[in-house]
Amino acid sequence: MRLVYSPHAIREATVQLAKQINKDYKGHQIHLIGVLKGAFIFLADLVRQIEVPCSVDFVRLSSYGSSTQSSGRVEEKIPLKDPIGGQHVIVVEEIVDSGTTLAKLLDELEAQGPASLRVCTLVDKTGRREAEIPVHYRGFRLEAGFLIGYGLDLDERYRNLPGIYVMEEGETL
Ligand code: IMP
Ligand code: MG
């Protein structure tokens, strides 16, 4: 595996994203929704840079099973508890790939009538996008490659790595 985003680069990107969010939502309160499991580290780092009043919730979605390619089916393993009607909502993802997972979630959230709804992702992986996703805040843009580390897993492993690595073709870890 090869390092693509160092802990330092991730931190810089996170600080920049939070700066933009703080600016855009000045005078407002926001509600962050992290998509588990992958987003738990990014959300934890991002939220500590947020200076506007905010609340946090999580939803657990899964579309992968144990392969490196999306199965196309999205399973809601832990549904949202807090109602979001009238709130300024930002969905926080560590990576958007095909967009299947997020498209379903965004439809559901939109139906609840939030005051606004935006997406913040650390990595926007665009090469396999199938659903049109409005990504308002992105840390990094990448065409292709399977990433691990900083919350990103391969079959539940490697989430603990502080940097983000790309798996090289044919590599077995
Ligand atoms: P999508 O529905 O194809 O956009 O997939 C979204 C979810 O798949 C992400 O939130 C991740 O949890 C997972 N995922 C997508 N790409 C990668 C990757 O490169 N490494 C690890 N997990 C990934
Ligand atoms: Mg995810």
Side-chain angles (χ1 to χ4, degrees):
M1 59 197 199
R2 179 170 53 81
L3 182 70
V4 273
Y5 309 123
S6 68
H8 179 76
I10 294 170
R11 180 167 170 83
E12 297 271 286
T14 306
V15 166
Q16 286 312 313
L17 288 171
K19 250 191 201 156
Q20 191 60 48
I21 291 171
N22 289 333
K23 198 169 141 212
D24 293 351
Y25 292 89
K26 195 165 182 217
H28 295 281
Q29 183 166 331
I30 58 175
H31 185 62
L32 301 174
I33 299 177
V35 183
L36 295 172
K37 297 176 189 173
F40 78 110
I41 296 179
F42 175 48
L43 177 59
D45 284 343
L46 182 74
V47 77
R48 280 176 283 182
Q49 304 291 329
I50 297 289
E51 288 164 0
V52 297
C54 73
S55 52
V56 176
D57 197 6
F58 289 97
V59 63
R60 182 166 169 205
L61 304 174
S62 171
S63 69
Y64 264 55
S66 58
S67 87
T68 56
Q69 240 197 315
S70 182
S71 66
R73 286 169 293 120
V74 179
E75 230 184 300
E76 201 158 309
K77 293 184 168 172
I78 303 178
L80 278 177
K81 288 269 164 29
D82 307 339
I84 60 152
Q87 300 204 55
H88 293 289
V89 175
I90 304 178
V91 175
V92 179
E93 267 278 24
E94 81 291 1
I95 193 165
V96 180
D97 184 11
S98 72
T100 315
T101 316
L102 217 49
K104 180 171 182 263
L105 179 64
L106 291 175
D107 280 352
E108 269 180 35
L109 295 177
E110 201 63 78
Q112 288 190 43
S116 67
L117 180 59
R118 289 186 170 178
V119 172
C120 174
T121 185
L122 181 63
V123 181
D124 190 7
K125 188 162 78 176
T126 54
R128 298 196 294 200
R129 190 66 39 87
E130 277 166 25
E132 208 178 302
I133 302 290
V135 176
H136 295 90
Y137 305 102
R138 75 166 59 74
F140 304 106
R141 197 183 163 282
L142 176 86
E143 180 64 23
F146 193 78
L147 305 180
I148 52 173
Y150 198 74
L152 291 154
D153 73 305
L154 172 60
D155 213 359
E156 294 305 325
R157 289 187 61 196
Y158 312 110
R159 293 193 199 273
N160 55 311
L161 301 176
I164 296 180
Y165 298 79
V166 65
M167 303 250 324
E168 303 286 8
E169 195 69 36
E171 194 143 10
T172 47
L173 289 174

